Amino acid sequence: MSCIDSLVPPLKKVRHQLLYLIYGNQDVYRREAKFSILTALSHAKNGERPAIRILTDRPDDYAGWPVDTVLLDEATQTRWQGTHGYHHRRKACAIAAGMQWAEKTLFVDTDTLFTRHPSQLFKFIEPNRSVMDRFEYDWKDVHLRAEYQKLGHDLRSHGVTPDNGFKLYNSGLCGVTERDSALFEESIRLIDEWTLGGFEIHTIEQIALSYAMRERQVVEARKHVYHYFAEKRFFHAMQTYFFSQHGEQFSQRLVDLCTDVPRVKPFPSAWHRLKIKWKLRHQNGALRKVGRDLLYGSAAPEDPYYSACRHEWWECASREILRWDESRQKKLLSQKTWPQQLPRPDKPEDEKVIMSYLKKRVTAAR
C-alpha cells in the first residue's frame, strides 16, 4: 500500500504495540501525547512497559522517552492527506503503515487516557474482532441530518439504507491485527470517494472505518480508557500545569506523579454541586447553564489541578453568553456589580474576577 512506501527505518516486530500519530509544532498536542503515554506506563507492573511507537515529524521531542519514533516527513504527510484536503486521512494511513510492526496494534489518539493496563485491551483483538473507542450511533439515527446528506447519497451507491445500515464508532482507539490491512485499504478508498467534491463531516475517517468493520465484531474500549475529545480545554489546562511543574524529561518519577492528575473532568464536590443546583432552582435554560458554569469554577476544591480549570468553567459560560443576542449580553454584563439574575459565588473575591473575565471575553469576540 502507498501508505508505507517511504517509512524508514522499519521497526523490530513485536507482539503488541501502542501506536501514536502526532505532527505539527503545537505544544498542546505534544503534551497530550506525552501525558497519554504516561497514563499507559502508570499501569505497568514490575517495570514491564508496552512497546510504544510514534509516527511524528518531530522525533527529537521524545528523546529520552521509552518509545520508538519513526520520522514522518513532509512529503509523506502530503501524500497521506490525499488529493481532497482531508487531513484525517493520515490517521488511516498511519494505522496501515504501523500495523506491520506488531502482531496486534492499538492505535491511540493523543487525547486519550488509560484507566487500565493496555494489555487488557489486546486480549480482545483477534482475527475478525477489533477494538474501537466507543459506539456513537447507528446510521439510521443520523441519516436525515443535513450534514449527512452527501454521505447518504454515496452510501446508497453501496446499497446502504437506513434499514440495513451499520454502527458508527469513535476511532479514538482502534485495535487491529497485522492481518487487517484490507480494512484500511477499503477505508482509504472510501475516504477518497466520500471526500471527492468536498465534505461536510470531519469524521469521514471513522465512518469509513466503521463501514469497513460492519461484518466483524467490535469491542468498545470505554471501560479501559477515557477519550476527552469533547473536554479538551479542561485537560489541556491540567496538563499544562503538570508539565510546567515537573518538566517533560522522562523519568519513573514523572510516571508516578501523573497519577495525581484527575482522569476525568474535574467537578466541585457533590455537596457543592447540590448547593449550586439549589441556588439555581428558579433559573431556566441558558441562564441556569451560565450560572452553573460560573459557580462551578468558583467552587473548585483547593487542589492545583482543579484550580487550573477554574477559567475553563468560566470559558464555558462565556461561550454560552456569546450565543445570546447583543441586548441580552449587555443586560447581563453592564451591571456594575454581580448580576442580580444570578446567585453569588461562595468566594466573594471571585465576583470581580469572573465579571472582568466575561466582559473581556465577550468584548473581544464582537
Side-chain angles (χ1 to χ4, degrees):
M1 182 185 291
S2 61
C3 287
I4 65 176
D5 288 349
S6 64
L7 285 184
V8 292
L11 298 176
K12 177 183 177 182
K13 190 167 186 177
V14 295
R15 184 163 172 257
H16 297 162
Q17 70 174 353
L18 302 181
L19 182 68
Y20 289 85
L21 168 68
I22 178 168
Y23 50 87
N25 58 5
Q26 293 192 46
D27 294 342
V28 67
Y29 297 123
R30 183 189 70 250
R31 289 193 290 263
E32 274 191 359
K34 287 187 172 181
F35 197 82
S36 177
I37 290 167
L38 290 175
T39 65
L41 296 176
S42 70
H43 296 284
K45 297 179 180 179
N46 303 319
E48 185 179 343
R49 294 171 175 169
I52 302 173
R53 276 69 189 271
I54 304 178
L55 297 170
T56 178
D57 58 345
R58 295 170 61 93
D60 291 345
D61 286 349
Y62 307 92
W65 282 67
V67 301
D68 297 312
T69 57
V70 176
L71 177 63
L72 195 61
D73 60 29
E74 187 173 349
T76 301
Q77 291 184 63
T78 300
R79 190 174 69 257
W80 282 9
Q81 182 168 302
T83 58
H84 302 153
Y86 181 65
H87 70 269
H88 289 308
R89 184 182 188 273
R90 294 171 178 171
K91 179 174 172 179
C93 284
I95 302 174
M99 62 194 295
Q100 64 183 316
W101 303 320
E103 294 175 19
K104 296 181 181 180
T105 294
L106 196 60
F107 179 89
V108 188
D109 272 358
T110 56
D111 56 351
T112 302
L113 310 177
F114 283 90
T115 55
R116 298 182 183 179
H117 197 294
S119 64
Q120 296 184 32
L121 284 170
F122 283 109
K123 295 176 183 178
F124 296 119
I125 303 171
E126 298 289 347
N128 209 37
R129 184 172 71 185
S130 298
V131 168
M132 293 285 271
D133 175 44
R134 66 185 69 184
F135 168 75
E136 289 197 331
Y137 41 76
D138 196 286
W139 174 245
K140 71 176 185 294
D141 298 325
V142 298
H143 74 284
L144 292 177
R145 295 181 186 176
E147 65 269 27
Y148 285 86
Q149 294 305 300
K150 178 180 181 299
L151 178 61
H153 178 271
D154 293 330
L155 283 169
R156 283 193 294 274
S157 69
H158 292 276
V160 176
T161 68
D163 295 329
N164 68 0
F166 57 99
K167 292 183 176 181
L168 294 109
Y169 293 91
N170 187 299
S171 60
L173 208 75
C174 178
V176 291
T177 74
E178 61 184 328
R179 299 180 180 178
D180 287 329
S181 59
L183 283 177
F184 296 94
E185 291 174 0
E186 182 177 12
S187 295
I188 293 167
R189 179 179 58 78
L190 291 171
I191 289 170
D192 290 342
E193 177 185 331
W194 294 346
T195 56
L196 179 65
F199 50 91
E200 297 180 358
I201 309 172
H202 76 279
T203 55
I204 289 285
E205 163 269 324
Q206 62 187 25
I207 296 172
L209 183 55
S210 295
Y211 179 81
M213 288 183 172
R214 66 194 183 281
E215 301 296 337
R216 65 169 51 204
Q217 183 182 0
V218 175
V219 177
E220 292 183 79
R222 59 194 311 164
K223 292 182 179 180
H224 302 261
V225 299
Y226 187 67
H227 188 194
Y228 56 87
F229 59 94
E231 301 165 341
K232 278 180 175 283
R233 295 195 315 276
F234 292 88
F235 288 90
H236 288 171
M238 291 190 287
Q239 290 162 13
T240 298
Y241 179 81
F242 175 82
F243 287 114
S244 71
Q245 294 297 301
H246 307 300
E248 295 188 29
Q249 183 176 350
F250 180 81
S251 67
Q252 182 57 43
R253 180 174 179 272
L254 203 63
V255 177
D256 297 336
L257 286 168
C258 90
T259 60
D260 295 335
V261 183
R263 295 293 192 267
V264 294
K265 180 179 177 179
F267 285 90
S269 68
W271 163 246
H272 277 98
R273 296 199 304 273
L274 185 62
K275 186 177 178 181
I276 290 168
K277 185 176 181 179
W278 174 255
K279 286 183 175 182
L280 293 166
R281 66 191 183 281
H282 298 307
Q283 301 294 351
N284 294 308
L287 194 59
R288 174 183 287 183
K289 184 180 186 309
V290 167
R292 185 203 65 178
D293 290 342
L294 295 180
L295 297 182
Y296 271 23
S298 183
E302 296 300 323
D303 174 279
Y305 294 108
Y306 286 81
S307 296
C309 292
R310 280 160 52 88
H311 284 77
E312 302 310 325
W313 282 112
W314 300 339
E315 175 64 15
C316 289
S318 72
R319 292 189 177 203
E320 180 63 37
I321 293 171
L322 285 168
R323 295 190 182 99
W324 300 355
D325 61 64
E326 191 168 336
S327 62
R328 192 180 183 191
Q329 292 176 15
K330 287 182 178 179
K331 184 178 179 181
L332 182 72
L333 300 178
S334 62
Q335 301 174 52
K336 294 182 179 180
T337 58
W338 188 255
Q340 295 179 356
Q341 307 98 307
L342 295 173
R344 296 181 179 277
D346 285 346
K347 300 174 183 176
E349 63 272 20
D350 277 349
E351 292 185 15
K352 289 184 178 180
V353 176
I354 292 172
M355 292 306 293
S356 175
Y357 179 88
L358 292 180
K359 288 177 181 179
K360 288 180 180 178
R361 182 70 177 82
V362 172
T363 301
R366 284 175 180 165

